[in-house]
Structure formats: C-alpha cells, structure tokens
Amino acid sequence: MIVLGLETSCDDTGVAVFDTARGLRAHQLYSQSRMHAEYGGVVPELASRDHIRKLLPLVREVLADADIGFRDLQGVAYTTGPGLAGALLVGTAIGRSLAYAWGIPAVGVHHMEGHLLAPMLEPDPPAFPFLALLVSGGHTLLADVQGIGRYQILGESIDDAVGEAFDKTAKLLGLGYPGGPAIAQAAGHGTAGRFRFPRPMTDRPGLDFSFSGLKTAVLTAAQSRVLDAHTIGDIALAFQEAAVETLVIKCDRALQQTGHARLVVAGGVGANQLLRAQLRHLGAKLSVRVHYPRPEFCTDNGAMIAYAGAVRLQAGQFEALRFGARPRWSLTELTTL
Ligand code: KG4
Ligand code: ZN
C-alpha cells in the first residue's frame, strides 16, 4: 500500500510517501523556523498561513521524487492532533480533500504516535513490547508500549515539556529559536563544573517529570551575571547536563520497573547527542537495546505520519467523509490494532 503522509501540527510542513512493500519512497520537510525566529517562538497564525502556501507544492515535489503519480496512491494520512488548531486544520482539510478527490481512503494520525513509530522507519526496527521515551516541544512522557495503539503512560511532565525548557532557556540566553540545537551548540563551548542545576523530581519515587523549576534555576543564575559567551556556554552546558540526566534517571527507573528489553527514544529532543550517548550507556548497563530514529526523523517530519497512517489504513481504519482537528488528544485514547 502506498500512502501519502502530511505533517502540519506546528512549524514544520512535512510530506512523505511510504510504501508498505518498499519502505520510504520520498520525503521532504519545509521548516518555518527562520520566519518564527524573528518573534522568538512559533506564531500560530503565521504557521497556518505558511502551511497553506507550502503544502501542495511539497506534495507535488514528493510525488515526483518518489517517481509516482497521484493515481499510484492508495491512501492519505495527515496529523489530526495534538498541536496548533489552525496548523492542524490545514493538513487535515487538504489531506481529507485530496483523498476525496482521488477516491482513496484517508486517516487522521496522532502526532505522538507518529513520533513513537518513527524508529520503525530505520533498519532493524524495534519489536513490541518496549518502553518509549517521548520528548518533544509539547510532550515529555514515558509509555509502556505493547503494540499499535496499546500505550500506557507511566509518567509525564506535570508542567513544561523538556523541549520547551530547552527553548525557554535558549531564549533567556539570547540563543534564539529553536532552542534545542542552539543550546547543544553553545554547550559545546562551555566548561563543566561552573554551574550545577537541579535534576527535578529525581529525589522522590515515580516517573513524572517537572522542568519549570530547572528553567527558574537557570533564570536565577543568568540574572546575576554578565552574559558573555563564556557564561552562556557554561550555563547551556549545565542546563543540558541537568535536563539529560533527569531523563536518563527516569528511563533507568522505568526500565528496571517494567523489565523491558527495548527502549525507544523519539521526538525532537531525541536528536540531542548527549541524550543519545547517555541512553546508549544506560542501555549497555542494563542490557537494553536502545532505538532512535535518525536525527531528522526525531524532529517533526512527514515520514512518521505516512508510516503510522499506512499501518492504520492497512488494518482497515479510515475516516468518514469529514475532517476536524484535535489540538488536545491523549495517546491513551487511540484505538488498538
Ligand atoms: O518533535 P518536535 O520537532 O516538535 C514537537 O512535536 O514539539 O520537537 C521540537 C523540540 C523543540 O523544543 C526543540 O528545541 C527540541 O525539540 N530539539 C532539541 C534538539 N533538536 C530539537 N532539543 C535538544 N537538543 C536538540 N538537538
Ligand atoms: Zn513533534
């Protein structure tokens, strides 16, 4: 089955073609980050308008890259939620309409299920069951994954998502948007040991996270100092260490608690090299296989949506002739396959 996937939940327009027989055929991403950088964060209305401009041209390019025409497609998948309502509506309206015009089934995909299944696009994909660490700009959660749609949330952030903490810290340090890659780069020039920030909620049992206190600790450190390049590097390094170590401590705990032999890491923060290295280390310690998507499929992309949609369409799941966005939508509400 050949499926077109569309991702428009936030500030990336992603389009891909996934073929259940031959794998990923083509994918493209248009990032709006330069446009939003001017405002220090995503401006929802600008995001929606830009998705409208970019989506159809990207669909044409991706079909050409895959060397197919629309008549070869057997389904269309698009992100229905969670995310920005207006941005989601662009993808769902266009995706549902294309499927109607082409006379093929359509399916709405949960953005976080897309992230969670992204490692399936890699050679040697993880088998079920596994523990998943989902770390993005909007979510930080640990889930017990028994199969498609069988997700039990073991812990999640009670306030900011870890990606949001990276973005806010970067803004505070004047490093711009998006913050994750900027912090990682600045940390590369930092010196260890000058600052030490808290590892929130690691001193008590449980698998929930909290990142707003860490952000405040960075603010306090930054406010009382001149933010020269050295200090920015030192703070970025200490922040990244604290955020990563917090995630690693909780993964260690969750792996020991569940006894899972596989850990899947996905979502934008999963592109972070320090996190990847430290989780690889944890995996070696616990004899757990750690699976990541390639970095470009950690952050938002159309390939993961095409894949997740293809799996659901193949199982006979599709939408009625209507569309709607679900800006708030829990992973635990998905149907199981
Ligand atoms: O999954 P994603 O692309 O979009 C959402 O679903 O939110 O994740 C975006 C988040 C942003 O907060 C961004 O700063 C963070 O992922 N991010 C990173 C890195 N690359 C992206 N955080 C840390 N290190 C990175 N290399
Ligand atoms: Zn995402």
Side-chain angles (χ1 to χ4, degrees):
M1 176 180 251
I2 305 182
V3 176
L4 176 71
L6 311 177
E7 157 61 34
T8 65
S9 68
C10 189
D11 60 344
D12 291 303
T13 316
V15 177
V17 169
F18 183 80
D19 180 341
T20 52
R22 290 172 52 186
L24 188 63
R25 297 279 294 270
H27 67 97
Q28 285 213 29
L29 185 82
Y30 175 79
S31 168
Q32 304 177 350
S33 60
R34 251 193 306 159
M35 175 177 77
H36 298 295
E38 211 178 306
Y39 304 92
V42 179
V43 184
E45 182 58 24
L46 294 183
S48 311
R49 291 185 204 184
D50 212 47
H51 287 308
I52 293 173
R53 276 192 290 269
K54 294 293 176 346
L55 196 52
L56 285 174
L58 268 188
V59 167
R60 281 192 201 98
E61 281 183 40
V62 167
L63 291 181
D65 289 351
D67 200 21
I68 59 172
F70 70 83
R71 286 188 182 82
D72 298 307
L73 292 170
Q74 289 147 314
V76 180
Y78 38 83
T79 308
T80 316
L84 301 172
L88 289 165
L89 275 172
V90 177
T92 55
I94 293 182
R96 187 66 195 89
S97 308
L98 286 175
Y100 173 63
W102 294 338
I104 54 179
V107 69
V109 171
H110 191 291
H111 181 76
M112 298 313 289
E113 178 171 74
H115 276 305
L116 192 125
L117 298 178
M120 302 297 181
L121 292 161
E122 303 304 336
D124 193 21
F128 296 111
F130 54 74
L131 176 75
L133 173 70
L134 295 183
V135 278
S136 70
H139 293 80
T140 306
L141 60 88
L142 277 163
D144 186 308
V145 178
Q146 294 291 330
I148 306 270
R150 295 171 65 198
Y151 313 130
Q152 190 199 344
I153 295 177
L154 303 174
E156 60 191 325
S157 179
I158 59 168
D159 43 54
D160 293 355
V162 63
E164 194 179 349
F166 269 90
D167 293 334
K168 288 179 175 169
T169 300
K171 195 169 183 178
L172 194 94
L173 298 176
L175 294 173
Y177 173 86
I183 290 277
Q185 207 198 348
H189 306 294
T191 309
R194 180 162 163 218
F195 295 96
R196 185 178 164 85
F197 297 125
R199 277 69 172 149
M201 292 179 76
T202 53
D203 56 351
R204 59 183 113 156
L207 296 171
D208 283 338
F209 302 88
S210 162
F211 287 100
S212 69
L214 175 55
K215 183 190 66 194
T216 309
V218 174
L219 179 68
T220 310
Q223 269 174 342
S224 54
R225 285 175 177 85
V226 179
L227 287 180
D228 56 22
H230 281 299
T231 303
I232 289 172
D234 296 347
I235 292 179
L237 182 141
F239 166 80
Q240 181 174 247
E241 270 182 0
V244 165
E245 198 184 322
T246 303
L247 296 173
V248 174
I249 290 171
K250 293 294 165 95
C251 282
D252 190 348
R253 209 176 271 179
L255 285 167
Q256 307 227 27
Q257 191 176 307
T258 58
H260 278 307
R262 284 170 290 270
L263 169 67
V264 159
V265 186
V269 183
N272 185 276
Q273 293 302 328
L274 182 69
L275 179 66
R276 291 166 89 97
Q278 295 215 356
L279 287 178
R280 222 175 282 126
H281 195 71
L282 175 69
K285 183 184 95 177
L286 300 178
S287 301
V288 165
R289 277 286 308 274
V290 186
H291 294 263
Y292 318 87
R294 69 194 84 164
E296 68 174 316
F297 290 166
C298 278
T299 44
D300 291 348
N301 64 86
M304 66 185 195
I305 303 304
Y307 176 83
V311 170
R312 289 193 170 270
L313 284 167
Q314 238 187 350
Q317 233 178 63
F318 49 86
E319 304 287 324
L321 198 51
R322 58 177 160 70
F323 68 87
R326 296 187 70 174
R328 291 185 175 280
W329 188 9
S330 168
L331 259 181
T332 56
E333 291 170 43
L334 297 184
T335 37
T336 55
L337 294 193

